[in-house]
Amino acid sequence: ETPGGPRLSGKGEVEAVVAVKALPAMSLVTPQDITVKNVRRKGLDASYFSKPEQVVGKVLRVTVAENQVLTQNELLTGGSGVQLAATLQPGMRAVSVPVSIHSVMGGMLYPGCIVDVIATFRLSNQADRGQAISTTLLRSIQVLAIQNASVVYTPVKSDSHGSESQLTVTLMVDTRQAEALQLAMDNGKISLAMRNPTDQKTVDTEGMVLN
């Protein structure tokens, strides 16, 4: 095994990301869609993936069969807004939110990553003047696009953030989450916290209040 490279078993096998079920073309890969298995290295396409986070949030270019090893050949590397819309599941919506680049890990978010949405509100009640509350509004939300880079399109110049202080991030949400986002944007500020795409654990919090 080379440092940072794929793990080899004693049988000439490597760890590779495979589909746990048949997946249709133009669908977003979720943590529930994939797993890591030992597969024979002989004859394996060199562009295979060894870690789930390399695939989660990507868009499939073709239909994938159950137990099929995912490689770069199966993923969409270029596309348009129409193709992005086609990736939306029934009942889901694409909503863009303006966020400070300092509130998204200095711009290190990437299309396809999973985030929690944190909302901060200034309390307006006279008895609570000067106080604010910060709470996790939405959990495990898929990022579809950041500026003009999306899960179906990567611009030639990858560093599209430049010296801008604010980014437009497009999230995939349902209608109720879209309404919650709109309220938060109208009455407070939004920030995003990246999470491991394979981490599906829900942690309940009561929020933090600034006195």
Side-chain angles (χ1 to χ4, degrees):
E1 179 183 355
T2 58
R7 297 180 183 178
L8 283 172
S9 73
K11 300 179 180 179
E13 297 178 336
V14 293
E15 289 185 341
V17 176
V18 302
V20 299
K21 58 183 179 181
L23 302 173
M26 295 308 299
S27 61
L28 282 169
V29 180
T30 70
Q32 294 77 26
D33 294 332
I34 57 174
T35 189
V36 176
K37 288 185 177 180
N38 287 336
V39 300
R40 292 186 59 186
R41 187 178 188 182
K42 184 178 181 181
L44 185 63
D45 191 298
S47 65
Y48 75 93
F49 300 97
S50 59
K51 298 179 180 180
E53 53 267 31
Q54 295 174 308
V55 180
V56 170
K58 302 296 184 180
V59 179
L60 294 175
R61 182 178 60 85
V62 295
T63 299
V64 170
E66 182 179 353
N67 290 322
Q68 180 176 338
V69 175
L70 295 182
T71 70
Q72 190 63 50
N73 297 327
E74 280 76 51
L75 302 182
L76 190 66
T77 56
S80 64
V82 173
Q83 289 176 314
L84 180 60
T87 67
L88 292 174
Q89 303 167 9
M92 303 304 287
R93 305 290 185 267
V95 176
S96 293
V97 297
V99 293
S100 166
I101 194 171
H102 301 295
S103 67
V104 289
M105 302 172 54
M108 294 185 67
L109 292 182
Y110 60 91
C113 70
I114 307 295
V115 298
D116 287 345
V117 179
I118 301 172
T120 302
F121 304 98
R122 179 70 61 179
L123 301 179
S124 59
N125 188 289
Q126 188 171 1
D128 297 321
R129 181 171 296 175
Q131 293 184 337
I133 184 171
S134 181
T135 184
T136 301
L137 183 68
L138 305 174
R139 294 178 173 84
S140 297
I141 300 299
Q142 188 101 52
V143 173
L144 293 177
I146 301 173
Q147 300 291 74
N148 63 333
S150 73
V151 291
V152 297
Y153 173 72
T154 301
V156 175
K157 187 178 180 181
S158 58
D159 184 15
S160 59
H161 299 163
S163 59
E164 300 175 42
S165 61
Q166 192 172 71
L167 299 176
T168 298
V169 180
T170 303
L171 307 174
M172 184 170 68
V173 294
D174 59 30
T175 53
R176 186 168 182 82
Q177 291 171 331
E179 293 167 350
L181 272 176
Q182 189 60 54
L183 279 175
M185 287 188 290
D186 289 345
N187 296 278
K189 294 182 179 180
I190 291 292
S191 61
L192 305 176
M194 184 192 294
R195 61 187 297 163
N196 188 315
T198 61
D199 178 14
Q200 298 299 300
K201 185 177 180 180
T202 299
V203 179
D204 292 327
T205 64
E206 297 180 355
M208 297 293 292
V209 176
L210 176 67
N211 291 320

